[in-house]
Every structure is written in C-alpha cells, then in structure tokens.
Amino acid sequence: MSRTRGSSGPKTLAAINEAGLDLIYTAGYEAMSLRELAAKVGLQPGSLYNHIETKQDLLFDLIHNHMVMLLARVDAELEGVEGPVERLKAFVAFHLDYHIERKREVFIGSAELRSLTPKNRKTIVTLRRAYEDRLCDILKTGAAKRLFAVSDIRVTAYALLAMLTGICTWYDPKGRVSRRKLIDIHTRLVLDGVTA
C-alpha cells in the first residue's frame, strides 16, 4: 500500500492504526514488527516515529481508543432507557452489535492485555471495570426491585459478558442466523438467566 501523496498527519496516523489492528489481529502483537507496519502503510520505517513513539504506545492507543469508544457508546445507548429490564435488553443488543462490528478491537483488547506494560494494563483494566459496572448497576437495580434473582452481581455480570462477547469467535454475518435473530436469542437467554 503506497502512501497517499500529501497525506496529512491525522490521515497517516489513522492508516497506521488500521494497519496495526490488522497485523496484531492476524499475527499477534509480539510477531508484528514496526518494519512490517511501515511497509503496510507505505512509509519508511523511520517515518513511523513521526506518528507513534513505540510499538507499546501503538498497542495501548488501539486498546484505549476501543475502550473509550465502548464506554461512550454504551452510555449513549442506555441514556433515556427506563427500568432494569429494558436497560438490560438495551445493554445486550448494544454489546452484541458493537462486538460484531469491532471484532478485531475486541479480540486485541482481550488477547493482548497481557502484552501491555503494568501501567498501561492498569489503565485499561480500570476502563474495563467501568464497562462491567454498567451491567452490574443494571443487575443491582433489578435485584433491588425483585425483578432479577441474582445471588452475586459481579459473578453474574462476568458470566453474561463472557457469553455475549463469545460472539466474536463464532458468528458469521453470512451464516443462517441474522443479527436481529441472534440478538433476540441472546436477550432471551440473558433474561431467562436472571429473571426472578
């Protein structure tokens, strides 16, 4: 891929991030080289440092941007939705849609958490906890209103998130089950699992 003549810094950085997502998703963080990344974007290897400082910075930025977007989007999706049952339905639909659309980001955010420095990992884990807290708050409110029968809020949230996030490993948009039907099935599974 050759660099667009006269491309701007932000466009080049966006191309670097996109290429980084592809390379880390397919080969893994440890296997990806900055030389390979530069070639994919159409830059000289030394030119990468005009846009990113280190390979670790690239990984952190990719995961951090994903988490910040995830939190902003879930908050927007839940805004104005009243009642724990409706909020849980909205959360499930959002989570599935987002994770289907951003399979690479989700995979890297989980699989490459181990590759972050301790400081960077702490930042990402804090953001992940904030996202988990959105679901925990829904479950807690539903349990307090006796709409949900949940013995342990955090364990239930982790179990639901594991089930919902698993979509990234097996769902094929060209398969026999439509996205809408898939959301309906998962919503029913979640509600049956927590409804009092």
Side-chain angles (χ1 to χ4, degrees):
M1 172 180 172
S2 61
R3 183 178 177 196
T4 305
R5 186 181 174 114
S7 63
S8 68
K11 285 183 181 175
T12 303
L13 181 58
I16 290 168
N17 287 339
E18 184 64 25
L21 280 173
D22 277 342
L23 291 170
I24 296 170
Y25 178 69
T26 55
Y29 173 76
E30 292 299 333
M32 183 199 79
S33 72
L34 290 181
R35 184 173 294 280
E36 184 181 19
L37 177 63
K40 191 169 177 73
V41 181
L43 294 173
Q44 293 297 318
S47 298
L48 272 179
Y49 298 105
N50 293 325
H51 305 280
I52 60 172
E53 289 188 26
T54 66
K55 184 175 159 182
Q56 175 68 200
D57 288 337
L58 172 66
L59 179 65
F60 174 74
D61 286 345
L62 292 175
I63 299 175
H64 186 263
N65 292 344
H66 155 64
M67 289 306 306
V68 168
M69 180 184 289
L70 179 67
L71 284 164
R73 294 277 307 277
V74 74
D75 287 343
E77 199 67 32
L78 293 174
E79 188 174 349
V81 179
E82 298 295 330
V85 173
E86 291 307 311
R87 287 177 70 79
L88 184 56
K89 288 179 183 178
F91 182 93
V92 170
F94 163 77
H95 188 91
L96 291 171
D97 266 334
Y98 184 95
H99 285 65
I100 289 169
E101 291 294 326
R102 289 169 181 80
K103 186 175 182 177
R104 295 174 308 167
E105 291 91 332
V106 172
F107 177 82
I108 292 168
S110 293
E112 297 298 351
L113 193 63
R114 66 190 173 189
S115 299
L116 291 170
T117 63
K119 179 184 174 189
N120 286 343
R121 182 186 321 214
K122 184 177 179 183
T123 300
I124 299 303
V125 167
T126 299
L127 292 171
R128 285 172 61 135
R129 177 57 69 102
Y131 184 73
E132 293 157 3
D133 286 345
R134 303 310 196 263
L135 178 56
C136 286
D137 289 345
I138 294 169
L139 295 173
K140 196 180 301 179
T141 303
K145 294 186 175 185
R146 300 184 189 274
L147 296 170
F148 301 154
V150 180
S151 59
D152 188 301
I153 299 292
R154 186 71 58 182
V155 170
T156 302
Y158 287 160
L160 294 178
L161 289 169
M163 177 182 73
L164 296 173
T165 304
I167 195 92
C168 293
T169 62
W170 62 266
Y171 179 64
D172 180 0
K174 298 174 188 164
R176 65 178 181 79
V177 181
S178 71
R179 186 184 298 195
R180 182 68 254 166
K181 179 68 174 171
L182 187 76
I183 290 170
D184 290 343
I185 291 169
H186 279 76
T187 301
R188 178 47 48 203
L189 285 169
V190 168
L191 289 175
D192 285 350
V194 301
T195 303

